[in-house]
Amino acid sequence: MQLWAALDLSCKRKYTKMIGLSVLIALMEIGGIGILLHTILSILKPTFILHNIFTRFVYNELGITDQKTFVMVMTAILFIVYLVKNIILVQINKVQVKWAFEITSNVSSKHYKYIASRELLYFHERKSADIVNEIVSITVSFTDTILLSSVMLLSELSIVIMMLLAILVYNPFLFVFSFVSIIPAAAFLVYLNRNKLAEQGSKLHSAFPFLYENIVELTAGIAQIKLWNSASHSFKKFEKIKNEIYALNKSVYIRSHHVPPRIYEVVAIAGILCVVLYGVLGEIGASAIISSISIYAGVSFRLLPSMNRVIGASNSLSTHNYIIDFIKRIDTDIVDAEGGTLSFEYSLSLSNVSFGYSSNKLILADLSLDIKKGEFIGLIGNSGAGKSTLMNVLCSLLEPQGGNVLVDGKVLSREQKTAYQYLFSYVKQDVFMLNTSILHNVAFLDDMPDVERVWNCLKKVNLLEWVETLPNGIDTSVGEVGKQVSGGQRQRIAIARALYKNAEVFIFDEVTNNLDANSKEQTLAAIKILKSEGKTALFITHKESELVLCDSVYSLKDKKIVQEK
């Protein structure tokens, strides 16, 4: 079973307990049906009371002397049994649902860590909407569509098997009849729907990222959309995606929820008619016919809904099978993202490094660079030459396809990568902002931010006076992706964040592009202080005001590094 193979040991234990409870549920359901049938037969055939072991035991032990009293007692027992049974089943279902969400929590956490641990290239190659869809599918849909559906499938199958075995013991003919009339129809429906639903589920999964993209494009690009008067174009795209999703959902819903009950309603009626015909043609008498119909109706009362649930659960598993494929891809050997520290004493080096986003097109080829601790280095080159890529390789955000990254002359290992990355603060042109306060954007993911240190960093980048004029001061929200502040303010908040981290190595990518003259002067003054503190810095820039701070300047040409200064 694919689901079983995708779960770890702790989840398998809980899943096994859920299945065990499902078998218990099946036994309780069979017990309830048994008492129901005994009650019905006691009403229809008074002679049944003393010929059946169970009814005779109840009749004698309670000292009952007539059928009327016995039927009333059996009816009361039936009501109490079903009441108690359903109270217990609700509690069992609560436990099953609790374990299902615990398993989902475990699986979704591991999946999230797996995604977060992937190389930058993984995010470069995949659309963000696809990643969002994958994470949301596991976090939101896995419990209902996979876990609980699989448990229901096993539970209802257990009920069906036990009921058929009980019928076999009581009336072999009725067993053959029930088996032939019900099981082939179920098998046919499962076979008919399985591949089609899997195909439609995969198409649905592929369609949702386009819907997410359309919404993001609308919200992020609304200004350009309005200026181009192209809202109708976005709407047409939305309508096309929406209609495709609705059409697939409609087909899935009809196949899963409407067709099986209608077929089984026909099966139930056909079954009753067949019992009648058998009685008439076999001349077994009206009493026997009524008795057989009653037994068949009692069995169908539970058996047919169980078969419907089996088909529904099977359909759900087929439709959402792609979720299991996501889980199976999770790498169990994920390096702990919080692990270890790494010292940087003398130098960082790239030794004969090669890298390309595709195997047949290298951006960096056999490139070597040695950076001494405390050195300020400038990097220039044409747009698209690979300067940002080179910095990402240096930070170990991208894995080189050839060559090595060295720290103090020693090759960086996989286990050291997370600690090595923490050595860096990288201020990019496209600033990433959290949808939270200025305080938490400067302190970033620091759970216990040092407020005084944040204020000091804001002062160094000429933001102190501006923040003090805000109604909520340092607690003012910057908005989603920083849309509540200007581009220059975002840039300076990013620089303040880098200063707050107090990393060993700073990378500034066109860091003063969006700054006015005064802010630029103060920012460069703050960067100069890093030199006196023994920090290392790299500048991607063509601005002389930044290059003058550098001890060495390199240019990136034809996939190689050339020293210019």
mmCIF file of all heavy atoms in Angstrom, residues 229-258:
data_model
loop_
_atom_site.group_PDB
_atom_site.id
_atom_site.type_symbol
_atom_site.label_atom_id
_atom_site.label_comp_id
_atom_site.label_asym_id
_atom_site.label_seq_id
_atom_site.Cartn_x
_atom_site.Cartn_y
_atom_site.Cartn_z
ATOM 1 N N ASN A 229 -5.380 49.140 -18.966
ATOM 2 C CA ASN A 229 -6.800 48.876 -19.161
ATOM 3 C C ASN A 229 -7.041 47.410 -19.533
ATOM 4 O O ASN A 229 -7.779 47.080 -20.468
ATOM 5 C CB ASN A 229 -7.363 49.784 -20.264
ATOM 6 C CG ASN A 229 -8.892 49.821 -20.251
ATOM 7 O OD1 ASN A 229 -9.512 49.538 -19.226
ATOM 8 N ND2 ASN A 229 -9.489 50.142 -21.384
ATOM 9 N N SER A 230 -6.382 46.513 -18.782
ATOM 10 C CA SER A 230 -6.413 45.095 -19.143
ATOM 11 C C SER A 230 -7.048 44.220 -18.066
ATOM 12 O O SER A 230 -6.756 43.035 -17.980
ATOM 13 C CB SER A 230 -4.981 44.604 -19.419
ATOM 14 O OG SER A 230 -4.149 44.827 -18.287
ATOM 15 N N ALA A 231 -7.897 44.826 -17.238
ATOM 16 C CA ALA A 231 -8.588 44.028 -16.224
ATOM 17 C C ALA A 231 -9.427 42.934 -16.876
ATOM 18 O O ALA A 231 -9.567 41.836 -16.332
ATOM 19 C CB ALA A 231 -9.458 44.923 -15.357
ATOM 20 N N SER A 232 -9.979 43.233 -18.047
ATOM 21 C CA SER A 232 -10.808 42.239 -18.744
ATOM 22 C C SER A 232 -9.970 41.032 -19.162
ATOM 23 O O SER A 232 -10.449 39.896 -19.162
ATOM 24 C CB SER A 232 -11.469 42.863 -19.974
ATOM 25 O OG SER A 232 -10.494 43.355 -20.868
ATOM 26 N N HIS A 233 -8.696 41.284 -19.519
ATOM 27 C CA HIS A 233 -7.804 40.176 -19.895
ATOM 28 C C HIS A 233 -7.566 39.258 -18.705
ATOM 29 O O HIS A 233 -7.625 38.021 -18.833
ATOM 30 C CB HIS A 233 -6.468 40.736 -20.397
ATOM 31 C CG HIS A 233 -5.450 39.681 -20.692
ATOM 32 N ND1 HIS A 233 -5.475 38.934 -21.845
ATOM 33 C CD2 HIS A 233 -4.388 39.233 -19.966
ATOM 34 C CE1 HIS A 233 -4.472 38.080 -21.830
ATOM 35 N NE2 HIS A 233 -3.796 38.240 -20.698
ATOM 36 N N SER A 234 -7.316 39.853 -17.520
ATOM 37 C CA SER A 234 -7.113 39.058 -16.304
ATOM 38 C C SER A 234 -8.374 38.284 -15.967
ATOM 39 O O SER A 234 -8.319 37.127 -15.538
ATOM 40 C CB SER A 234 -6.717 39.964 -15.134
ATOM 41 O OG SER A 234 -5.471 40.564 -15.363
ATOM 42 N N PHE A 235 -9.523 38.944 -16.164
ATOM 43 C CA PHE A 235 -10.798 38.288 -15.850
ATOM 44 C C PHE A 235 -11.049 37.103 -16.790
ATOM 45 O O PHE A 235 -11.506 36.047 -16.349
ATOM 46 C CB PHE A 235 -11.946 39.292 -15.962
ATOM 47 C CG PHE A 235 -13.290 38.698 -15.710
ATOM 48 C CD1 PHE A 235 -13.671 38.316 -14.426
ATOM 49 C CD2 PHE A 235 -14.183 38.491 -16.763
ATOM 50 C CE1 PHE A 235 -14.921 37.740 -14.201
ATOM 51 C CE2 PHE A 235 -15.425 37.923 -16.531
ATOM 52 C CZ PHE A 235 -15.790 37.551 -15.249
ATOM 53 N N LYS A 236 -10.748 37.270 -18.079
ATOM 54 C CA LYS A 236 -10.927 36.174 -19.035
ATOM 55 C C LYS A 236 -10.050 34.983 -18.666
ATOM 56 O O LYS A 236 -10.475 33.823 -18.749
ATOM 57 C CB LYS A 236 -10.598 36.649 -20.451
ATOM 58 C CG LYS A 236 -11.649 37.559 -21.058
ATOM 59 C CD LYS A 236 -11.214 38.038 -22.432
ATOM 60 C CE LYS A 236 -12.226 39.012 -23.016
ATOM 61 N NZ LYS A 236 -11.773 39.545 -24.333
ATOM 62 N N LYS A 237 -8.827 35.284 -18.237
ATOM 63 C CA LYS A 237 -7.910 34.224 -17.818
ATOM 64 C C LYS A 237 -8.464 33.517 -16.581
ATOM 65 O O LYS A 237 -8.441 32.281 -16.486
ATOM 66 C CB LYS A 237 -6.534 34.828 -17.517
ATOM 67 C CG LYS A 237 -5.453 33.810 -17.217
ATOM 68 C CD LYS A 237 -4.118 34.503 -17.028
ATOM 69 C CE LYS A 237 -3.026 33.502 -16.686
ATOM 70 N NZ LYS A 237 -1.719 34.181 -16.445
ATOM 71 N N PHE A 238 -8.985 34.325 -15.651
ATOM 72 C CA PHE A 238 -9.601 33.769 -14.439
ATOM 73 C C PHE A 238 -10.791 32.882 -14.789
ATOM 74 O O PHE A 238 -10.944 31.779 -14.250
ATOM 75 C CB PHE A 238 -10.037 34.904 -13.514
ATOM 76 C CG PHE A 238 -10.901 34.475 -12.366
ATOM 77 C CD1 PHE A 238 -10.349 33.837 -11.261
ATOM 78 C CD2 PHE A 238 -12.272 34.703 -12.389
ATOM 79 C CE1 PHE A 238 -11.149 33.426 -10.208
ATOM 80 C CE2 PHE A 238 -13.081 34.304 -11.341
ATOM 81 C CZ PHE A 238 -12.513 33.659 -10.247
ATOM 82 N N GLU A 239 -11.661 33.365 -15.689
ATOM 83 C CA GLU A 239 -12.840 32.608 -16.083
ATOM 84 C C GLU A 239 -12.460 31.273 -16.735
ATOM 85 O O GLU A 239 -13.087 30.243 -16.462
ATOM 86 C CB GLU A 239 -13.677 33.424 -17.072
ATOM 87 C CG GLU A 239 -14.476 34.530 -16.425
ATOM 88 C CD GLU A 239 -15.635 33.979 -15.613
ATOM 89 O OE1 GLU A 239 -16.593 33.458 -16.204
ATOM 90 O OE2 GLU A 239 -15.573 34.075 -14.364
ATOM 91 N N LYS A 240 -11.419 31.290 -17.560
ATOM 92 C CA LYS A 240 -10.985 30.067 -18.238
ATOM 93 C C LYS A 240 -10.502 29.027 -17.224
ATOM 94 O O LYS A 240 -10.890 27.848 -17.284
ATOM 95 C CB LYS A 240 -9.859 30.389 -19.227
ATOM 96 C CG LYS A 240 -9.355 29.173 -19.993
ATOM 97 C CD LYS A 240 -8.234 29.557 -20.939
ATOM 98 C CE LYS A 240 -7.696 28.332 -21.667
ATOM 99 N NZ LYS A 240 -6.556 28.671 -22.557
ATOM 100 N N ILE A 241 -9.673 29.468 -16.270
ATOM 101 C CA ILE A 241 -9.147 28.550 -15.251
ATOM 102 C C ILE A 241 -10.281 28.057 -14.353
ATOM 103 O O ILE A 241 -10.389 26.864 -14.056
ATOM 104 C CB ILE A 241 -8.063 29.250 -14.399
ATOM 105 C CG1 ILE A 241 -6.889 29.692 -15.286
ATOM 106 C CG2 ILE A 241 -7.558 28.318 -13.295
ATOM 107 C CD1 ILE A 241 -5.947 30.666 -14.607
ATOM 108 N N LYS A 242 -11.133 29.003 -13.928
ATOM 109 C CA LYS A 242 -12.246 28.664 -13.045
ATOM 110 C C LYS A 242 -13.171 27.639 -13.690
ATOM 111 O O LYS A 242 -13.572 26.655 -13.052
ATOM 112 C CB LYS A 242 -13.027 29.929 -12.697
ATOM 113 C CG LYS A 242 -14.221 29.720 -11.770
ATOM 114 C CD LYS A 242 -15.135 30.931 -11.766
ATOM 115 C CE LYS A 242 -15.879 31.062 -13.095
ATOM 116 N NZ LYS A 242 -16.860 32.164 -13.087
ATOM 117 N N ASN A 243 -13.514 27.848 -14.950
ATOM 118 C CA ASN A 243 -14.423 26.934 -15.646
ATOM 119 C C ASN A 243 -13.805 25.551 -15.807
ATOM 120 O O ASN A 243 -14.510 24.527 -15.734
ATOM 121 C CB ASN A 243 -14.820 27.506 -17.005
ATOM 122 C CG ASN A 243 -15.733 28.711 -16.881
ATOM 123 O OD1 ASN A 243 -16.426 28.874 -15.879
ATOM 124 N ND2 ASN A 243 -15.730 29.582 -17.882
ATOM 125 N N GLU A 244 -12.494 25.512 -16.045
ATOM 126 C CA GLU A 244 -11.806 24.224 -16.150
ATOM 127 C C GLU A 244 -11.875 23.479 -14.814
ATOM 128 O O GLU A 244 -12.159 22.276 -14.775
ATOM 129 C CB GLU A 244 -10.345 24.439 -16.556
ATOM 130 C CG GLU A 244 -9.570 23.132 -16.691
ATOM 131 C CD GLU A 244 -8.096 23.353 -17.006
ATOM 132 O OE1 GLU A 244 -7.708 24.519 -17.290
ATOM 133 O OE2 GLU A 244 -7.332 22.377 -16.940
ATOM 134 N N ILE A 245 -11.625 24.203 -13.713
ATOM 135 C CA ILE A 245 -11.678 23.590 -12.381
ATOM 136 C C ILE A 245 -13.094 23.128 -12.068
ATOM 137 O O ILE A 245 -13.302 22.016 -11.554
ATOM 138 C CB ILE A 245 -11.166 24.582 -11.310
ATOM 139 C CG1 ILE A 245 -9.657 24.807 -11.472
ATOM 140 C CG2 ILE A 245 -11.475 24.081 -9.906
ATOM 141 C CD1 ILE A 245 -9.092 25.887 -10.583
ATOM 142 N N TYR A 246 -14.094 23.970 -12.386
ATOM 143 C CA TYR A 246 -15.486 23.603 -12.122
ATOM 144 C C TYR A 246 -15.899 22.371 -12.913
ATOM 145 O O TYR A 246 -16.607 21.495 -12.402
ATOM 146 C CB TYR A 246 -16.415 24.769 -12.458
ATOM 147 C CG TYR A 246 -16.427 25.883 -11.443
ATOM 148 C CD1 TYR A 246 -17.201 27.019 -11.623
ATOM 149 C CD2 TYR A 246 -15.657 25.809 -10.283
ATOM 150 C CE1 TYR A 246 -17.223 28.050 -10.693
ATOM 151 C CE2 TYR A 246 -15.660 26.835 -9.357
ATOM 152 C CZ TYR A 246 -16.438 27.952 -9.564
ATOM 153 O OH TYR A 246 -16.449 28.960 -8.647
ATOM 154 N N ALA A 247 -15.473 22.298 -14.172
ATOM 155 C CA ALA A 247 -15.827 21.153 -15.009
ATOM 156 C C ALA A 247 -15.238 19.857 -14.454
ATOM 157 O O ALA A 247 -15.912 18.820 -14.397
ATOM 158 C CB ALA A 247 -15.334 21.385 -16.445
ATOM 159 N N LEU A 248 -13.979 19.938 -14.019
ATOM 160 C CA LEU A 248 -13.335 18.752 -13.445
ATOM 161 C C LEU A 248 -13.994 18.364 -12.125
ATOM 162 O O LEU A 248 -14.270 17.191 -11.872
ATOM 163 C CB LEU A 248 -11.840 19.031 -13.230
ATOM 164 C CG LEU A 248 -10.984 19.096 -14.494
ATOM 165 C CD1 LEU A 248 -9.606 19.676 -14.183
ATOM 166 C CD2 LEU A 248 -10.838 17.711 -15.111
ATOM 167 N N ASN A 249 -14.264 19.375 -11.274
ATOM 168 C CA ASN A 249 -14.908 19.100 -9.986
ATOM 169 C C ASN A 249 -16.301 18.502 -10.170
ATOM 170 O O ASN A 249 -16.718 17.603 -9.435
ATOM 171 C CB ASN A 249 -15.013 20.382 -9.158
ATOM 172 C CG ASN A 249 -13.839 20.550 -8.217
ATOM 173 O OD1 ASN A 249 -13.292 19.582 -7.708
ATOM 174 N ND2 ASN A 249 -13.426 21.786 -7.990
ATOM 175 N N LYS A 250 -17.022 19.021 -11.174
ATOM 176 C CA LYS A 250 -18.367 18.513 -11.452
ATOM 177 C C LYS A 250 -18.316 17.045 -11.846
ATOM 178 O O LYS A 250 -19.098 16.224 -11.342
ATOM 179 C CB LYS A 250 -19.017 19.345 -12.555
ATOM 180 C CG LYS A 250 -20.422 18.903 -12.927
ATOM 181 C CD LYS A 250 -21.017 19.830 -13.965
ATOM 182 C CE LYS A 250 -20.305 19.674 -15.304
ATOM 183 N NZ LYS A 250 -20.910 20.484 -16.381
ATOM 184 N N SER A 251 -17.377 16.723 -12.724
ATOM 185 C CA SER A 251 -17.242 15.337 -13.169
ATOM 186 C C SER A 251 -16.849 14.416 -12.015
ATOM 187 O O SER A 251 -17.414 13.325 -11.851
ATOM 188 C CB SER A 251 -16.194 15.254 -14.282
ATOM 189 O OG SER A 251 -15.992 13.920 -14.677
ATOM 190 N N VAL A 252 -15.902 14.880 -11.206
ATOM 191 C CA VAL A 252 -15.460 14.085 -10.048
ATOM 192 C C VAL A 252 -16.611 13.888 -9.069
ATOM 193 O O VAL A 252 -16.837 12.785 -8.557
ATOM 194 C CB VAL A 252 -14.263 14.772 -9.337
ATOM 195 C CG1 VAL A 252 -13.995 14.126 -7.979
ATOM 196 C CG2 VAL A 252 -13.011 14.706 -10.204
ATOM 197 N N TYR A 253 -17.359 14.959 -8.808
ATOM 198 C CA TYR A 253 -18.453 14.892 -7.831
ATOM 199 C C TYR A 253 -19.543 13.933 -8.285
ATOM 200 O O TYR A 253 -20.056 13.130 -7.496
ATOM 201 C CB TYR A 253 -19.038 16.293 -7.618
ATOM 202 C CG TYR A 253 -19.874 16.409 -6.369
ATOM 203 C CD1 TYR A 253 -19.282 16.664 -5.138
ATOM 204 C CD2 TYR A 253 -21.253 16.240 -6.426
ATOM 205 C CE1 TYR A 253 -20.046 16.745 -3.986
ATOM 206 C CE2 TYR A 253 -22.032 16.327 -5.282
ATOM 207 C CZ TYR A 253 -21.422 16.588 -4.061
ATOM 208 O OH TYR A 253 -22.165 16.657 -2.926
ATOM 209 N N ILE A 254 -19.901 14.013 -9.558
ATOM 210 C CA ILE A 254 -20.954 13.132 -10.083
ATOM 211 C C ILE A 254 -20.514 11.675 -10.011
ATOM 212 O O ILE A 254 -21.261 10.794 -9.571
ATOM 213 C CB ILE A 254 -21.324 13.526 -11.526
ATOM 214 C CG1 ILE A 254 -22.064 14.874 -11.521
ATOM 215 C CG2 ILE A 254 -22.181 12.450 -12.177
ATOM 216 C CD1 ILE A 254 -22.314 15.442 -12.889
ATOM 217 N N ARG A 255 -19.273 11.419 -10.448
ATOM 218 C CA ARG A 255 -18.763 10.048 -10.435
ATOM 219 C C ARG A 255 -18.661 9.492 -9.017
ATOM 220 O O ARG A 255 -18.888 8.308 -8.779
ATOM 221 C CB ARG A 255 -17.390 9.989 -11.096
ATOM 222 C CG ARG A 255 -17.412 10.035 -12.605
ATOM 223 C CD ARG A 255 -16.011 10.041 -13.179
ATOM 224 N NE ARG A 255 -16.033 9.943 -14.628
ATOM 225 C CZ ARG A 255 -16.038 8.815 -15.309
ATOM 226 N NH1 ARG A 255 -16.015 7.669 -14.665
ATOM 227 N NH2 ARG A 255 -16.061 8.811 -16.622
ATOM 228 N N SER A 256 -18.299 10.369 -8.065
ATOM 229 C CA SER A 256 -18.042 9.918 -6.702
ATOM 230 C C SER A 256 -19.292 9.857 -5.844
ATOM 231 O O SER A 256 -19.429 8.961 -5.004
ATOM 232 C CB SER A 256 -17.020 10.846 -6.031
ATOM 233 O OG SER A 256 -15.793 10.840 -6.715
ATOM 234 N N HIS A 257 -20.217 10.813 -6.016
ATOM 235 C CA HIS A 257 -21.314 10.955 -5.062
ATOM 236 C C HIS A 257 -22.707 10.633 -5.620
ATOM 237 O O HIS A 257 -23.594 10.264 -4.845
ATOM 238 C CB HIS A 257 -21.333 12.386 -4.510
ATOM 239 C CG HIS A 257 -20.078 12.754 -3.779
ATOM 240 N ND1 HIS A 257 -19.806 12.316 -2.509
ATOM 241 C CD2 HIS A 257 -19.016 13.506 -4.150
ATOM 242 C CE1 HIS A 257 -18.627 12.789 -2.117
ATOM 243 N NE2 HIS A 257 -18.138 13.503 -3.095
ATOM 244 N N HIS A 258 -22.912 10.781 -6.924
ATOM 245 C CA HIS A 258 -24.267 10.630 -7.454
ATOM 246 C C HIS A 258 -24.497 9.295 -8.163
ATOM 247 O O HIS A 258 -25.565 8.694 -8.012
ATOM 248 C CB HIS A 258 -24.591 11.777 -8.415
ATOM 249 C CG HIS A 258 -24.798 13.087 -7.714
ATOM 250 N ND1 HIS A 258 -25.787 13.290 -6.796
ATOM 251 C CD2 HIS A 258 -24.114 14.258 -7.780
ATOM 252 C CE1 HIS A 258 -25.717 14.519 -6.320
ATOM 253 N NE2 HIS A 258 -24.710 15.129 -6.902
#
